[in-house]
Amino acid sequence: MRCDILIIGGGAAALRAALAAYEKDNSLKIVIAVKGKLGKCGTTALAYSDRMAFHATLPTTPPFDRNNWKYHAMDIYEIGGCVSDYNLAEILAKNSAEAFEYLDKLGVPFAKKDGVPVQFVTDGSIYPRACYTGPDTAVQIERALLKKVYEIPNIQILEDTMITDILVSDKVEGAIGLSKDILFIEAKAIVVATGGAGSIYKVNVFPARMTGDGYAMALRAGCELVNMEFIQIGLSSVKTNLACSGSIMRCIPRFINSNGEEFLNKDNITFEDIFNKGATWPISIEHKTCLIDIAVFREISKGKKVYLDFSNNPINFNFDDLPNEIKERYDSEIKEYSNNRKTPFSRLKEINPQTISWFKERGIDLSKDLLELAPAIQHFQGGIKIDKDAKSNIEGLFACGECAGGQHGANRPGGNALLDTQVFGKIAGECAAIYANQATYSNKVNLLAKDKQREYDKYNDEQGIELKYLSNELKETMSTFASVIRFEEGLNKALDTIERLKSTKIKHDKLSEIIEFKNMLLTAEAVVKTCMQRKESRGPHLYFEQFESQPLKRDSKYDVYFVAQINKENNRVEIYPKIPIRPQGDD
Ligand SMILES: Cc1cc2nc3c(=O)[nH]c(=O)nc-3n(C[C@H](O)[C@H](O)[C@H](O)COP(=O)(O)OP(=O)(O)OC[C@H]3O[C@@H](n4cnc5c(N)ncnc54)[C@H](O)[C@@H]3O)c2cc1C
């Protein structure tokens, strides 16, 4: 098969890239290859939370001055721990209003009051920039983009097609994929928009099959990945996958383990911290509330389960004793005034009755049932290192959305991931179109693809171990050693496991699943090796001397980002530091 541009993925980033490529040059043949059914796989199409945010600096966004995008860019960069490329943060902020407008015109039903988009403050941001439709903002974005894509005949869609490798010489030549048969695709330009890799962890809130294919394919093709240690993690309900943030914490529930013991009071954690966890959901060393995640993680590591109890107050809790600013914040959240604040449940009912109904619809009655929770993986801040044109270090290869990296740092203020899919999705599509328009086919794809096919033929083994056992071991290892508490001994154990699994023979199985597992291993290797380099804490990367010690502090020695790349000589992932692009005048 031959096309000008191959777009890998079917989420918000891929769809925006396809539309932008078409809008730039409608003579090009554009192909979207997606692993499942379009609109029914990947994070954008399936994720929900209590209120999903799309960040934008609009003319109506405070502080209402002409350059208000600068505050947005600085938030991304500084709250991100100054380990991202500032020029990319600037691009995100400057283009956010246009990105919002595009979606608005496509019919995404953003909340508005008197015609003005309603915006709220999310974790990390200083000004209210979060636009939303509700718990389904991402789903609405996917739906609107998809409707537009279906109207364009030049965009060919290959569903149930997993791209397994990107084929390169000194530039992009095409890709190899699996649908019913093996597929060789010659392409002048490729846009990788394959999303994150939640499936490498046992506990995550991603949809299924997010196995890090884009990261692994890019590594094998020779790309640089950046910031792979920075992964958003937060306390989530195990049964429903819902992030336990906002009102769920602001009603100050009781944290207990499976022995019925309260354990937060041992770690100098106050009721105020539990309340503040509502606004600092993802773990970050920059917030004291990360002590809650650490305490929960330690209980789980001891083999216990952890629950939120809404029927009883934490020991020694008295609502009236809370500091005034907390009580004022609580008052500002009230939806159904009752003046009954006796239990966490009655408080939750007062500030967010919808959450109670939401859980009830899913078989959990918070007035009596315990809510099991665990730290879950939600977003990969790093990825394929891109420049201002969304281009990787390989000619003709572009990346956008969650699988791209360098635009976000350690922390990612909530709402900027969906924004990223639109801003860099558009840039990737446009720049791929400009490139493809000038490029020629060099007819190398068959040769390169046949080499890969021969490699795949060796993957199955009648004597090997069943894939599900290997995959579970990897997930368990990552959730144990590369999650909330990262320390040298644990990371070494994780790497040993990955090395062993890499050389273990796999029992005959579906080729696509074997390749997914290999992609998970390579992505995990890049994550673990990057974690090992950063012997400090920054954002969600909490580094400890030992499992039971306190997290190390941020250290200016690590004001760099780490890049992962495969060394072609020995075929191993190697990590090296690089200086990010700083704001002008910033040393
Ligand atoms: C529970 C949850 C809540 C979130 N809340 C927010 C929020 O409020 N605000 C915010 O900004 N962000 C939020 N995020 C993050 C945000 O939703 C994602 O970062 C974003 O949707 C990713 O979009 P994407 O297009 O890059 O990737 P995805 O939407 O994940 O799309 C990736 C696509 O690639 C396909 N694919 C993967 N591998 C292959 C392959 N080998 N071949 C072919 N196709 C492939 C997948 O099937 C999928 O179609 C949240 C995420 C989660 C999980």
Side-chain angles (χ1 to χ4, degrees):
M1 174 177 215
R2 213 175 216 198
C3 61
D4 293 293
I5 304 176
L6 171 66
I7 295 172
I8 313 174
L15 298 178
R16 187 66 189 92
L19 291 170
Y22 171 77
E23 284 154 11
K24 189 82 199 163
D25 185 344
N26 63 13
S27 69
L28 297 174
K29 182 175 175 196
I30 301 159
V31 170
I32 295 179
V34 58
K35 219 152 103 156
K37 298 272 182 252
L38 205 49
K40 299 211 163 36
C41 60
T43 304
T44 322
L46 299 172
Y48 60 88
S49 64
D50 56 345
R51 192 162 52 162
M52 278 188 97
F54 179 92
H55 242 50
T57 293
L58 306 174
T60 48
T61 307
F64 310 113
D65 76 49
R66 206 163 51 84
N67 289 331
N68 62 356
W69 62 265
K70 279 196 178 157
Y71 303 96
H72 187 172
M74 252 354 214
D75 270 8
I76 295 173
Y77 177 73
E78 283 182 344
I79 294 166
C82 308
V83 284
S84 61
D85 285 329
Y86 176 74
N87 62 335
L88 304 186
E90 229 179 65
I91 291 172
L92 277 174
K94 269 188 182 165
N95 291 287
S96 62
E98 191 205 20
F100 174 85
E101 223 171 273
Y102 187 85
L103 293 174
D104 197 37
K105 282 203 181 119
L106 287 187
V108 175
F110 285 111
K112 290 186 185 159
K113 194 168 175 221
D114 303 327
V116 175
V118 182
Q119 296 187 282
F120 66 97
V121 179
T122 56
D123 37 63
S125 299
I126 292 165
Y127 294 110
R129 301 191 190 98
C131 309
Y132 64 98
T133 67
D136 60 348
T137 310
V139 177
Q140 294 286 358
I141 292 174
E142 174 91 7
R143 213 174 275 163
L145 290 167
L146 206 47
K147 189 164 169 264
K148 181 85 183 157
V149 163
Y150 282 140
E151 288 167 7
I152 297 168
N154 298 38
I155 304 179
Q156 186 183 348
I157 295 161
L158 303 177
E159 291 187 321
D160 297 315
T161 303
M162 175 185 169
I163 300 298
T164 49
D165 266 296
I166 296 164
L167 305 170
V168 290
S169 54
D170 54 345
K171 65 174 182 62
V172 157
E173 299 290 348
I176 180 166
L178 296 170
S179 62
K180 282 199 187 93
D181 295 309
I182 203 151
L183 200 66
F184 299 176
I185 306 175
E186 184 162 31
K188 292 179 189 162
I190 291 185
V191 177
V192 189
T194 45
S199 302
I200 68 172
Y201 285 86
K202 183 178 157 203
V203 192
N204 70 79
V205 293
F206 279 70
R209 296 190 72 194
M210 296 303 291
T211 43
D213 301 351
Y215 302 127
M217 288 192 284
L219 276 172
R220 287 194 292 269
C223 281
E224 295 178 326
L225 305 191
V226 66
N227 280 338
M228 290 302 284
E229 72 277 40
F230 298 128
I231 299 171
Q232 205 175 55
I233 310 172
L235 295 175
S236 304
S237 143
V238 171
K239 191 169 167 198
T240 65
N241 273 353
L242 190 82
C244 293
S245 59
S247 53
I248 299 178
M249 291 297 156
R250 285 199 268 271
C251 69
I252 313 195
R254 193 167 80 108
F255 281 70
I256 53 168
N257 63 24
S258 32
N259 297 344
E261 298 155 339
E262 281 187 45
F263 54 90
L264 290 189
N265 39 9
K266 286 185 290 194
D267 290 305
N268 188 25
I269 295 164
T270 63
F271 303 129
E272 222 175 312
D273 295 330
I274 301 177
F275 187 94
N276 289 334
K277 188 77 200 151
T280 55
W281 178 76
I283 297 172
S284 170
I285 192 67
E286 285 81 24
H287 295 293
K288 187 192 164 201
T289 58
C290 71
L291 293 178
I292 300 176
D293 305 270
I294 296 170
V296 168
F297 187 79
R298 286 203 169 115
E299 290 299 304
I300 293 174
S301 301
K302 287 178 209 154
K304 295 174 195 158
K305 289 189 173 173
V306 170
Y307 302 96
L308 293 181
D309 172 8
F310 293 86
S311 346
N312 299 289
N313 278 320
I315 194 158
N316 296 331
F317 176 81
N318 183 350
F319 184 84
D320 294 329
D321 295 342
L322 287 172
N324 281 340
E325 71 265 21
I326 297 278
K327 283 192 277 192
E328 278 161 23
R329 174 78 205 260
Y330 176 93
D331 284 345
S332 73
E333 299 269 324
I334 293 176
K335 304 270 180 343
E336 282 180 11
Y337 187 76
S338 71
N339 204 19
N340 173 5
R341 293 164 193 176
K342 277 200 192 119
T343 63
F345 181 78
S346 56
R347 292 189 290 275
L348 185 60
K349 199 163 173 217
E350 201 172 44
I351 58 174
N352 196 351
Q354 293 96 326
T355 294
I356 294 174
S357 320
W358 191 91
F359 277 109
K360 204 152 197 182
E361 281 160 24
R362 283 150 185 87
I364 300 171
D365 180 352
L366 295 181
S367 70
K368 57 183 172 61
D369 297 336
L370 296 174
L371 185 70
E372 187 185 349
L373 83 167
I377 305 296
Q378 180 172 278
H379 179 262
F380 280 63
Q381 261 92 266
I384 304 165
K385 192 170 176 306
I386 53 166
D387 66 11
K388 63 177 183 30
D389 296 329
K391 195 172 100 41
S392 72
N393 56 311
I394 293 177
E395 203 184 318
L397 189 58
F398 300 81
C400 54
E402 190 166 337
C403 74
Q407 67 282 42
H408 305 293
N411 299 301
R412 172 187 58 78
N416 282 303
L418 285 173
L419 169 67
D420 181 13
T421 63
Q422 297 309 286
V423 171
F424 279 104
K426 178 178 182 229
I427 294 173
E430 284 178 353
C431 292
I434 294 168
Y435 175 83
N437 192 291
Q438 304 293 319
T440 49
Y441 295 112
S442 44
N443 298 316
K444 291 183 182 156
V445 97
N446 271 3
L447 216 62
L448 292 165
K450 279 187 180 141
D451 271 355
K452 282 285 172 194
Q453 202 178 1
R454 274 191 285 277
E455 203 180 307
Y456 300 163
D457 286 344
K458 294 184 209 141
Y459 285 171
N460 270 317
D461 196 304
E462 288 307 324
Q463 308 302 318
I465 298 178
E466 269 186 60
L467 197 53
K468 66 175 180 208
Y469 297 116
L470 303 176
S471 171
N472 285 345
E473 188 178 358
L474 174 68
K475 287 166 185 262
E476 188 79 47
T477 301
M478 291 301 284
S479 280
T480 308
F481 296 120
S483 175
V484 178
I485 297 185
R486 297 165 175 185
F487 59 111
E488 191 172 344
E489 196 190 331
L491 290 166
N492 278 330
K493 279 189 190 158
L495 197 55
D496 286 349
T497 305
I498 291 168
E499 292 294 348
R500 177 169 48 76
L501 291 173
K502 272 170 83 176
S503 56
T504 304
K505 291 213 159 84
I506 301 166
K507 193 171 174 162
H508 187 74
D509 211 316
K510 264 175 88 174
L511 182 56
S512 56
E513 287 178 16
I514 295 179
I515 296 174
E516 279 183 339
F517 177 62
K518 295 208 173 258
N519 291 340
M520 287 164 68
L521 280 173
L522 191 53
T523 306
E525 185 181 349
V527 170
V528 169
K529 284 187 170 167
T530 316
C531 288
M532 287 170 139
Q533 294 298 316
R534 190 173 286 284
K535 295 188 192 321
E536 60 144 10
S537 299
R538 191 177 301 235
H541 173 75
L542 308 189
Y543 196 90
F544 297 69
E545 292 281 8
Q546 286 145 9
F547 182 77
E548 284 297 346
S549 61
Q550 290 304 309
L552 297 181
K553 292 202 165 57
R554 180 158 155 179
D555 181 344
S556 58
K557 194 163 97 188
Y558 294 98
D559 285 350
V560 292
Y561 46 50
F562 286 103
V563 171
Q565 195 172 28
I566 288 187
N567 178 341
K568 293 268 171 184
E569 306 271 293
N570 58 18
N571 223 10
R572 301 184 87 80
V573 176
E574 289 183 355
I575 312 292
Y576 52 90
K578 259 194 175 176
I579 307 287
I581 297 173
R582 313 252 190 235
Q584 270 185 356
D586 189 350
D587 294 331

